[in-house]
């Protein structure tokens, strides 16, 4: 079967890896990702040029396309591919609004009485915004309504000092039409531990994956800028050390209700639904949805799949999705990034990656924002590659991943603390304190 994967990052490298043994694999990538290019028939092009991607799919008789990143989903790549007869693992444009329009997402919770939402308000003018913030005495989170590549969200108590600074930033969001909407969404700030649950969806049924926890801060000890994610872990049993079975089940129930609501408001949701939750002292609260796999979280869950990815993709497009099986192991992913990231001066420099040594340790490499030029791996300004290891527990997987990171050489760094006993214990203690409050 001819399958096309669209997207050139580590998430897409992991998707390709999960398909490569069972399909005739084609990829449409914006740059020559060394991991993707060696396992697929690749074409380099603009993933957002929908006509070109559709022409490519048609010319090559692609039967199923798996869409990695959010941007082409937001532009309607699935609608375009379906027009030319290609079935897709990815939601159509109207269903992808669950990620691309945060106001649509929050309104869905309200209209369909779905639990787990937050107090929120959407503003399109500074007068109403300021009046609201002057009378609101809790800390808030300011979010552009549309896509901003993970860089638009600012939190009072973290990036912003107080609600006065929130007013200034929220006005900027409206004035600069950040994320493509002259609107801003203000949400209450919820305290707790964040976690991710990803699920396969066929429009009606949902098959959840093991939970994972990402680490957005650039530096160890959760310091520094918020990034796309510096690493993540998942645990045996599909839960997390601070997340109980009932917290997990409650989160999945929220996702099921959302899928039903999307089918009523837009079109049936086919693809991957990524739920980012906060475990608060009142239980799971939905922070946001993405219409795709998480990056890095895809690297945790995809290598754990026992059910073949191609069978899951077929079931998604046919509407026959059932349970998806995963190995009962823990996993740790550590992202290697250029020194100085997110403001690096090392873009364009070469790095050395000893994949053989990494594989000998039992770990895997998934390439992200690097390109291969004349056999050399060159950094761009963003995350370079993910190293993933599995183990009987998080501690074991962490030690393998950490050892494997030594075989990447150049002007790069990674968070050594992701998945360590000390950091996992800190998360558990934090959650216990919150529960006892
Ligand atoms: N891990 C964050 C994201 O995928 O958006």
């Amino acid at each position: 079967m001819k399958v096309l994967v669209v997207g050139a990052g580590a998430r897409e490298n992991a998707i390709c890896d999960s398909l490569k043994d069972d399909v005739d694999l084609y990829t449409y990538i914006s740059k020559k990702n060394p991991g993707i290019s060696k396992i697929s028939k690749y074409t380099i092009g603009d993933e957002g040029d929908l006509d070109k991607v559709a022409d490519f799919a048609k010319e090559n008789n692609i039967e199923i396309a798996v869409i990695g990143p959010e941007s082409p989903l937001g532009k309607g790549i699935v609608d375009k591919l379906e027009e030319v007869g290609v079935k897709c693992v990815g939601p159509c444009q109207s269903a992808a609004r669950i990620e691309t329009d945060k106001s649509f997402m929050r309104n869905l919770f309200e209209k369909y009485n779905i639990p787990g939402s937050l107090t929120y308000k959407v503003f399109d003018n500074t007068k109403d915004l300021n009046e609201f913030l002057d009378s609101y005495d809790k800390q808030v989170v300011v979010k552009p309504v549309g896509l901003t590549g993970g860089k638009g969200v600012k939190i009072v108590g973290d990036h912003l000092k107080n609600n006065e600074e929130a007013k200034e930033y929220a006005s900027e969001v409206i004035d600069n039409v950040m994320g493509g909407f002259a609107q801003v969404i203000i949400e209450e700030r919820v305290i707790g531990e964040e976690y991710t649950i990803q699920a396969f969806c066929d429009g009606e049924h949902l098959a959840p994956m093991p939970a994972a926890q990402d680490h957005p801060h650039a530096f160890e000890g959760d310091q520094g800028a918020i990034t796309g994610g510096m690493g993540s872990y998942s645990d045996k049993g599909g839960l997390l050390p601070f997340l109980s079975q009932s917290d997990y089940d409650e989160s999945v129930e929220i996702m099921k209700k959302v899928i039903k609501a999307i089918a009523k408001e837009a079109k049936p949701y086919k693809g991957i639904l990524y739920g980012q939750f906060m475990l608060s002292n009142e239980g799971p609260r939905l922070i946001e949805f993405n219409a795709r796999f998480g990056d890095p979280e895809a690297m945790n869950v995809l290598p754990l799949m026992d059910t073949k990815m191609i069978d899951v993709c077929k079931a998604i497009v046919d509407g026959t999705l059932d349970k998806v099986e995963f190995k009962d192991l823990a996993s740790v992913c550590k992202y290697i990034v250029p020194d100085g990231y997110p403001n690096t001066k090392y873009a364009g420099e070469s790095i050395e990656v000893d994949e053989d040594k990494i594989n000998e340790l039992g770990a895997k490499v998934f390439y992200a924002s690097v390109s291969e030029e004349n056999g050399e791996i060159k950094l761009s300004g963003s995350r370079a590659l993910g190293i993933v290891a599995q183990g009987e527990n998080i501690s074991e997987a962490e030690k393998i991943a950490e050892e494997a990171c030594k075989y990447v050489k150049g002007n790069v760094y990674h968070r050594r603390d992701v998945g360590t006993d000390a950091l996992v214990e800190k998360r558990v203690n934090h959650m216990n304190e919150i529960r006892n409050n």
Side-chain angles (χ1 to χ4, degrees):
M1 178 177 235
K2 290 186 170 192
V3 174
L4 169 68
V5 174
V6 177
R11 166 183 50 212
E12 290 77 26
N13 192 171
I15 296 171
C16 288
D17 194 62
S18 70
L19 288 165
K20 70 175 192 308
D21 295 335
D22 305 304
V23 306
D24 191 4
L25 187 60
Y26 289 72
T27 51
Y28 203 90
I29 52 182
S30 56
K31 59 184 179 308
K32 190 176 172 195
N33 176 309
I36 296 176
S37 58
K38 76 175 170 215
I39 57 174
S40 66
K41 293 176 187 134
Y42 67 94
T43 288
I44 297 180
D46 176 1
E47 298 150 13
D49 188 335
L50 308 190
D51 288 326
K52 289 242 169 73
V53 179
D55 286 347
F56 175 82
K58 218 171 131 187
E59 278 158 22
N60 290 289
N61 299 315
I62 299 295
E63 287 160 87
I64 296 182
V66 184
I67 315 302
E70 65 275 19
S71 171
L73 289 168
K75 287 183 175 167
I77 195 168
V78 168
D79 311 64
K80 191 85 204 170
L81 285 165
E82 284 179 352
E83 267 170 39
V84 298
V86 178
K87 293 178 175 168
C88 291
V89 175
C92 61
Q93 191 176 30
S94 63
R97 287 177 74 202
I98 199 68
E99 170 169 6
T100 61
D101 180 349
K102 291 187 179 67
S103 150
F104 169 79
M105 183 271 275
R106 287 288 171 214
N107 288 336
L108 215 58
F109 273 82
E110 204 165 85
K111 181 166 173 189
Y112 291 89
N113 246 325
I114 302 171
S117 192
L118 305 168
T119 304
Y120 77 99
K121 270 190 179 299
V122 182
F123 296 97
D124 61 6
N125 70 82
T126 320
K127 184 175 167 288
D128 293 346
L129 164 79
N130 289 351
E131 266 174 30
F132 172 74
L133 282 174
D134 283 340
S135 62
Y136 194 70
D137 56 2
K138 292 191 199 156
Q139 291 185 323
V140 297
V141 178
V142 182
K143 295 181 174 179
V145 168
L147 293 180
T148 50
K151 292 181 181 73
V153 175
K154 292 203 187 228
I155 303 169
V156 172
D158 200 340
H159 322 79
L160 304 168
K161 255 194 250 136
N162 48 36
N163 283 7
E164 276 306 307
E165 284 197 7
K167 274 191 207 168
E168 279 170 39
Y169 177 59
S171 299
E172 254 176 63
V173 172
I174 299 176
D175 294 345
N176 298 335
V177 195
M178 223 186 260
F181 292 77
Q183 290 180 337
V184 68
I185 183 158
I186 305 289
E187 293 178 355
E188 68 172 302
R189 181 183 180 196
V190 185
I191 307 291
E193 279 296 323
E194 280 190 58
Y195 59 98
T196 303
I197 298 181
Q198 302 164 95
F200 297 103
C201 309
D202 70 356
E204 197 184 340
H205 312 102
L206 184 139
M209 308 181 214
Q213 188 179 40
D214 187 12
H215 295 69
H217 287 274
F219 305 131
E220 280 156 30
D222 302 321
Q223 302 297 308
I226 299 287
T227 69
M230 293 294 291
S232 45
Y233 62 83
S234 67
D235 203 359
K236 227 174 138 73
L239 304 176
L240 294 168
F242 57 84
L243 186 79
S244 70
Q245 187 68 52
S246 69
D247 297 327
Y248 179 90
D249 293 345
E250 214 179 299
S251 313
V252 172
E253 274 312 304
I254 292 171
M255 295 171 83
K256 284 185 179 162
K257 290 192 164 83
V258 166
I259 288 295
K260 278 206 176 115
I262 298 175
K264 286 195 184 130
E265 285 296 303
K267 282 191 181 166
Y269 189 100
K270 288 188 177 227
I272 315 303
L273 183 65
Y274 168 112
Q276 188 195 346
F277 292 91
M278 180 76 81
L279 189 57
S280 72
N281 66 354
E282 290 171 353
R285 290 284 173 271
L286 191 278
I287 301 297
E288 63 186 36
F289 279 120
N290 293 324
R292 48 157 177 89
F293 276 112
D295 188 352
E297 296 97 322
M299 291 185 272
N300 294 98
V301 296
L302 284 166
L304 287 173
M305 279 176 76
D306 257 346
T307 312
K308 279 185 191 290
M309 178 64 169
I310 184 56
D311 292 338
V312 177
C313 292
K314 283 187 202 157
I316 288 173
V317 300
D318 292 344
T320 55
L321 185 66
D322 202 353
K323 199 171 173 348
V324 177
E325 303 287 349
F326 293 85
K327 290 184 184 69
D328 193 20
L329 291 172
S331 72
V332 170
C333 173
K334 298 200 184 212
Y335 244 126
I336 310 259
V337 304
D339 279 336
Y341 171 76
N343 298 306
T344 186
K345 58 178 188 198
Y346 295 105
E349 278 206 7
S350 296
I351 55 168
E352 279 173 41
V353 185
D354 192 337
E355 268 191 66
D356 291 339
K357 283 277 190 320
I358 293 170
N359 294 337
E360 272 168 34
L361 288 167
K364 272 176 177 284
V365 179
F366 294 118
Y367 289 95
S369 289
V370 288
S371 56
E372 196 182 325
E373 291 168 34
N374 307 320
E376 284 186 48
I377 296 172
K378 305 249 187 197
L379 295 170
S380 77
S382 199
R383 296 176 294 178
L385 56 102
I387 301 258
V388 184
Q390 297 173 349
E392 282 302 320
N393 48 52
I394 297 170
S395 188
E396 191 181 296
E398 190 280 329
K399 287 184 181 72
I400 301 168
E402 189 53 41
E403 188 61 25
C405 288
K406 292 183 184 146
Y407 293 101
V408 182
K409 298 216 161 47
N411 283 314
V412 290
Y413 77 98
H414 69 279
R415 272 188 65 166
R416 282 166 304 158
D417 63 349
V418 172
T420 55
D421 294 347
L423 194 57
V424 171
E425 196 182 318
K426 187 174 145 194
R427 304 278 188 247
V428 172
N429 291 341
H430 180 221
M431 206 55 240
N432 287 340
E433 273 168 35
I434 285 169
R435 281 201 171 101
N436 294 333
N437 261 336

